[in-house]
Amino acid sequence: ANEFSSGALLLLSFLSGAGVLALEVAGLQLLNLKAPFAFYTPGAILFCVVLLLGVSAAVIASVERLLKGPAPALVCCAALAGLAVAVAPLVFLSLTAGRSGIGGHGEGFGASLLQLGAVTCASIGPAVLVAGMVFPLLISALDSGETWPEAGFARLLAINGAGGLAGAEAAHRLLLPALGPHLALGALGAGYGVLALALALALHRRM
């Protein structure tokens, strides 16, 4: 039986999309603080997000086996995502301390993009990696239950996309203007932490 109701799966799918895209938007703004040419930063963020979401999908089966199923894995991944998102600004600051900028300054496009990509993957990458496991785990939870018709996957995918749009807009129009990139990432990390706690309590009640 599935540990989550259909409504819970839809909500988690929405929150997963919102969290990853909000992280991408806030990460781009964080990177722009130290990047002299804004033309390079979207490529670095896109490289980081696409690469690590792919890695997340590739390792999800192993993670699920290690953590004894999609439900406990969801709790762990949400908790780790909260920690990784919250510390991302600190990692970024430590990597760029004492430097006026990263990339640019006469370097070629490839060298600048590689440098930006390395800094981005080191700071934002762990958060993307763990947060990116949430949606595949929801698909696994859907497959393990008997409460949804065959259209369940399409619904999850659609609501995940809608959540991504909402998360990107919320980060751009609300979080970043109000808090700036450092605190916005901290708020996102806290959100993942609250989600992990809510999931843990929900699973405990079902035991």
Side-chain angles (χ1 to χ4, degrees), residues 157-178:
L157 190 61
I159 201 70
N160 184 258
L165 177 61
E169 287 297 307
H172 177 66
R173 299 182 184 277
L174 298 175
L175 281 179
L176 288 169

Side-chain angles (χ1 to χ4, degrees), residues 3 24 28 33 63 71 76 81 96 107 148 154 182 205:
E3 292 93 340
E24 182 177 354
L28 175 60
L33 296 177
V63 170
C76 291
T96 59
E107 298 178 11
W148 281 50
H182 300 92
R205 288 170 183 167

Side-chain angles (χ1 to χ4, degrees), residues 5 10 12 15-17 27 32-33 36 39 56 76 85 89 121 134 139 148 169 173 196 200 207:
S5 67
L10 284 174
L12 290 170
L15 293 176
S16 171
N32 280 335
L33 296 177
F39 177 77
S56 295
C76 291
V85 174
C121 287
V134 173
I139 300 299
W148 281 50
E169 287 297 307
R173 299 182 184 277
M207 292 177 61

